[in-house]
Amino acid sequence: MKVSTHLILLFAAFVCMVCISSSATAFEPEKVGVNPELEDFTAGFFPPKILNVTDGVYVARGYNRDNPVLIEGTDGLIVIDPGESIPAAEIVKEAYNKKLNNIFETKPVKAIIYTHHHDCHIHGASVFANNDTEIIAHENLNLTLYSDWFGQVYPSRADGGVKMSGSLFANDPDWFAGGGLFATQIRGPSGYLPPTKTVKDKLETNIAGVSITLLSVPGETRDVLVVWLPEKDTMVQIANYYQAFPAITTIRGAFPRNPLDYIDSIDVCRSLEPEYLVLPHGPQPVVVGEENISRMFTNGRDAIQFVHDQTVQNMNKGLTPGEIMDVVKLPPHLASDPNLQEYYGQVDRDIYEIFWWYRGFYSGKARDMFPQSPAEEAEMAAELAGGVDELTDKARNALDEGNLEWALVLADDVLLLNPENAEARKIKNSAMISIAENTPNAQTRNYILSEYLLETKQVTLPTSGNPKLTFATMEERFVPLLPMDTLHRIMAVSLDASECLDKEITVGLQLTDMKNAKSSDYALYVRKGIVEIQPEVPEDADFTITTSSMVWKNMVLGKLDPQKAVSDGKVNISGADSKAFYEFMALFE
C-alpha cells in the first residue's frame, strides 16, 4: 500500500480531522495475516447488500460501519441509524434507490431515528432529511453526546477510537480485517442533525402509516432505543446484543457501563417475542423466527449474567480480577454459541470491567495497594533478570517459545529503560505482529497494529498527546450545541497547573447573547493549580471578558486565537489591558 499524507476522521463518537503521514512508501510488513475465525466472520459482511427483512423493512448490510435500516410507509419513509458520515450515507442511499426503484425520489423521509449517539449511527442524517423530517432520539442523546464524547475526555477517547477501529490502515486490505462489528469504514464530514423529538421511557407513535413503539433500553450507552414495529412483528435492536461477545466497556475508553443494564434490556427485547430481528451491527443483520431470536437473546443475556454473577461471587470470596479470570469460563453451550465468539468483547476483559464497576481499581490484596509506574515495573523486571541485557534475552526466549504476550511486555520493559535498544524493538515488533495475526478479537488486532505503526513511525497522529489540537478539530456543527458546563470542564482539565501553582487570578466572564439562559455571567477562579467556574461575575475581578458564547467556545477549544479575537473586536477586556487576558488564556494548554 502506498502511504501518503491524507485526512481521516477520528473515531470517538464523532468526526474530527487529523493528518496521518508517512515518510515510508509502504507498510512493513506488507501483509499481516488474519486469524481464520476472524477472517471468516468479517467475510460475512461482503458483498454489501440491501436485504429485505419483511414487508416494507430493509437493511443495508456492509456499506459502512453500521447497517442503516429503511422502513417504507404508505406516504413516506423512516430511516434508522443513517450511517457514519455524509459520503457513507450517500452510498447507502444510492444502493437503496438502485434496489427499490428510486424510492427516495418518490417518497419523502418522514423521520430519522437514532438508536444511540455513537458516531457510526448519526452522522449521515442530512443526506436523508428534508426540511420536514422529524429527528427522533432518546432524551439523553445530547447529554451523552457531550459528556461521553465531546467532553473533557474527548482527546483520550478519540485517540483510542482511531486505534481500536483500525482507521490508520483501514484502506489497506493487506492489513485491515474489520472492526468486529463492521468491515468497512467511509470517513467524511458529519451530517448530524439534532433531535426534534425525544423519548424518555416509551413512545408509541405512527409515522407514514407505520405503527412504531420506541423503548428505552440502556446498556452500551444510556441513550439506547429499541424500535418495535408491532404490526410487522419486527424489532430493530442495537447496543445490547450483537453477533459477538459483548464488550462491557470497549478498550478505546468509554463511560462506565452497568453490566446489569445489558441483561435487563435484552429481557425487554426478548419479552416482545419478535418474528423478525434487525441488527444495525453485524454480518448477518436479519434473523427470522421467534424461536431462533428467543434462543439468541436468551444465550446472550445468560452469557453476560454468568460472567457477571460468577465475577461477583468470586469477588465476594476475596479473589482478584486476575484470579477470577483463571476460574470463570463460559459453560459449553454458551462458549460454543456462534453468536458469542470473542470477535469484539472478551470474557477476561469483561471480568475486569465488572470488578472495577463494583470495587474500583483496588483488588483487596496488599500487593495491589501500591500502584507502580511502567518505569518502576521495568526496573523491577530488569533487576530480577540480572540486568537490561538479560531482560532482553528473556524477551527473546519468550518470543521463541511462543509466549507472545510475555515477549511484548518484557521487550517493552527494556525499551522503557533503553529506548534505543534495537534488539528489544525487533522483539516487540515481532510479538505485536504475531499477536495481531493470531487473535480472533478485532479490537485487539486493530489496537496493537495501530501502536506498532505509530511506534515504528510508519504513520504519525499529530493529535495524539495534544489535547488542544484534538479539541480544536471538533466539527463546527457541534460547537453551538456544546453545553457551557461541558465547555468549562474542558477548560478545567486544560489548565497547565505547573504554570499557576503560585497564582490566584479572578476573572469575570459576560456572554452577551445568553441573557435568557440559565447563566450568562461567570466567575473564573484560577487558584494554585485548579480553575473553579461559578455562575456569577465577581465584584473583585482582576478583569472582565465580554464576548459572545460562540467566540468564547471557539477560544477555549483552540479554534480562535485570543489576540485575533480582540483585534477583530469580538472580545472586550475591562479592568486590565489585553496582555493580562492573553496571559490568562495561555495558562490553558
Side-chain angles (χ1 to χ4, degrees):
M1 171 186 172
K2 296 293 183 182
V3 183
S4 59
T5 302
H6 60 284
L7 291 176
I8 69 165
L9 292 166
L10 281 176
F11 176 83
F14 304 101
V15 187
C16 171
M17 285 290 195
V18 298
C19 178
I20 297 177
S21 64
S22 174
S23 58
T25 57
F27 287 156
E28 295 291 344
E30 293 186 1
K31 183 178 179 62
V32 179
V34 185
N35 177 287
E37 295 177 21
L38 178 59
E39 187 172 37
D40 289 346
F41 180 77
T42 302
F45 286 95
F46 298 105
K49 190 175 183 180
I50 302 297
L51 303 173
N52 186 190
V53 182
T54 186
D55 182 39
V57 181
Y58 307 89
V59 60
R61 187 274 313 279
Y63 291 93
N64 75 155
R65 283 189 293 135
D66 80 335
N67 299 322
V69 177
L70 175 65
I71 302 171
E72 182 179 7
T74 54
D75 62 345
L77 306 171
I78 304 153
V79 175
I80 302 173
D81 287 356
E84 65 179 295
S85 66
I86 289 175
E90 289 172 341
I91 290 172
V92 169
K93 186 175 184 179
E94 181 182 358
Y96 271 126
N97 274 333
K98 184 176 181 180
K99 176 73 173 181
L100 302 175
N101 299 317
N102 290 317
I103 192 168
F104 286 102
E105 308 303 321
T106 58
K107 288 187 176 182
V109 175
K110 296 283 189 176
I112 293 173
I113 300 172
Y114 298 143
T115 61
H116 62 305
H117 75 278
H118 282 171
D119 67 323
C120 51
H121 300 273
I122 65 174
H123 289 302
S126 64
V127 172
F128 296 99
N130 55 63
N131 291 336
D132 298 320
T133 302
E134 196 153 49
I135 311 296
I136 305 174
H138 195 285
E139 69 172 11
N140 287 336
L141 184 133
N142 268 345
L143 170 68
T144 53
L145 181 69
Y146 286 99
S147 65
D148 293 14
W149 294 104
F150 277 150
Q152 59 186 346
V153 295
Y154 177 53
S156 173
R157 289 183 179 164
D159 184 86
V162 165
K163 294 171 183 174
M164 193 189 83
S165 66
S167 292
L168 300 179
F169 50 89
N171 293 326
D172 188 342
D174 288 332
W175 274 63
F176 188 61
L181 302 182
F182 60 88
T184 301
Q185 301 180 51
I186 302 176
R187 307 295 186 169
S190 169
Y192 171 72
L193 298 172
T196 58
K197 176 183 284 189
T198 61
V199 181
K200 182 178 181 180
D201 297 316
K202 181 178 181 180
L203 173 67
E204 293 180 333
T205 186
N206 188 288
I207 304 172
V210 180
S211 294
I212 296 177
T213 300
L214 300 175
L215 298 168
S216 174
V217 286
E220 183 178 276
T221 71
R222 294 159 290 162
D223 61 331
V224 182
L225 291 177
V226 66
V227 182
W228 174 235
L229 310 176
E231 294 177 355
K232 298 178 182 292
D233 208 4
T234 299
M235 174 180 292
V236 181
Q237 185 278 159
I238 187 65
N240 292 302
Y241 178 85
Y242 308 113
Q243 290 174 314
F245 196 82
I248 297 297
T249 298
T250 61
I251 60 175
R252 71 171 177 266
F255 190 89
R257 302 167 179 175
N258 185 342
L260 294 179
D261 280 349
Y262 284 82
I263 300 167
D264 292 342
S265 292
I266 293 175
D267 284 346
V268 170
C269 297
R270 188 171 59 145
S271 70
L272 295 172
E273 300 180 342
E275 181 67 22
Y276 302 95
L277 176 65
V278 188
L279 301 170
H281 271 310
Q284 307 299 331
V286 181
V287 185
V288 179
E290 180 183 326
E291 184 177 343
N292 290 334
I293 296 168
S294 177
R295 185 186 309 110
M296 290 174 64
F297 277 151
T298 300
N299 282 358
R301 56 92 61 217
D302 285 358
I304 298 170
Q305 183 175 340
F306 182 88
V307 174
H308 173 275
D309 291 356
Q310 294 304 304
T311 298
V312 174
Q313 180 186 109
N314 284 287
M315 181 177 73
N316 289 338
K317 293 177 179 178
L319 273 64
T320 67
E323 291 168 334
I324 296 170
M325 185 179 71
D326 285 340
V327 299
V328 172
K329 310 296 179 185
L330 285 179
H333 75 288
L334 297 177
S336 62
D337 187 325
N339 294 304
L340 291 174
Q341 301 308 298
E342 296 179 315
Y343 304 123
Y344 191 64
Q346 287 186 190
V347 173
D348 54 0
R349 291 179 191 157
D350 283 358
I351 287 170
Y352 272 85
E353 294 294 343
I354 292 164
F355 189 99
W356 290 334
W357 172 260
Y358 291 111
R359 281 208 54 151
F361 95 97
Y362 181 49
S363 70
K365 301 291 187 182
R367 61 175 290 162
D368 296 328
M369 191 180 293
F370 309 101
Q372 304 291 312
S373 72
E376 289 172 326
E377 290 182 351
E379 289 171 358
M380 184 183 299
E383 177 70 21
L384 292 172
V388 173
D389 289 343
E390 289 77 8
L391 184 58
T392 306
D393 291 339
K394 295 290 186 184
R396 166 59 65 186
N397 291 338
L399 182 66
D400 292 342
E401 294 169 3
N403 295 325
L404 301 178
E405 292 84 357
W406 279 45
L408 170 59
V409 173
L410 295 177
D412 197 54
D413 283 344
V414 174
L415 291 168
L416 286 171
L417 301 174
N418 179 9
E420 303 305 318
N421 190 307
E423 177 67 8
R425 169 53 61 194
K426 182 178 179 181
I427 294 168
K428 182 178 179 181
N429 290 350
S430 295
M432 296 173 88
I433 294 296
S434 294
I435 290 171
E437 290 182 326
N438 284 282
T439 181
N441 188 282
Q443 289 193 42
T444 300
R445 176 188 171 88
N446 289 337
Y447 220 103
I448 286 181
L449 289 179
S450 296
E451 185 170 320
Y452 167 83
L453 289 173
L454 290 164
E455 288 191 356
T456 57
K457 296 182 171 53
Q458 296 188 61
V459 298
T460 59
L461 187 57
T463 55
S464 184
N466 190 338
K468 190 83 170 184
L469 183 56
T470 304
F471 285 126
T473 58
M474 188 182 298
E475 279 205 62
E476 298 299 330
R477 69 171 56 231
F478 294 105
V479 178
L481 299 172
L482 184 66
M484 294 303 296
D485 288 347
T486 301
L487 180 81
H488 290 156
R489 269 281 87 220
I490 291 172
M491 194 174 187
V493 301
S494 300
L495 182 68
D496 185 350
S498 65
E499 291 295 317
C500 56
L501 291 175
D502 59 348
K503 291 182 172 64
E504 293 194 27
I505 307 170
T506 301
V507 176
L509 172 65
Q510 295 180 322
L511 301 177
T512 56
D513 59 330
M514 296 184 64
K515 294 302 181 183
N516 295 324
K518 180 180 178 181
S519 179
S520 60
D521 299 337
Y522 296 89
L524 314 178
Y525 301 100
V526 169
R527 186 171 59 253
K528 296 181 179 180
I530 66 102
V531 59
E532 178 186 3
I533 302 177
Q534 295 290 344
E536 59 185 17
V537 172
E539 295 180 359
D540 59 344
D542 296 310
F543 62 88
T544 298
I545 305 165
T546 303
T547 187
S548 70
S549 61
M550 280 299 295
V551 170
W552 179 242
K553 288 177 180 181
N554 282 321
M555 284 194 297
V556 171
L557 294 173
K559 290 176 169 290
L560 176 63
D561 179 69
Q563 294 192 38
K564 179 171 175 53
V566 171
S567 65
D568 289 348
K570 296 179 179 179
V571 173
N572 180 64
I573 306 300
S574 57
D577 59 22
S578 298
K579 181 181 177 182
F581 167 60
Y582 303 147
E583 290 176 347
F584 176 76
M585 295 302 291
L587 294 175
F588 300 90
E589 296 181 321

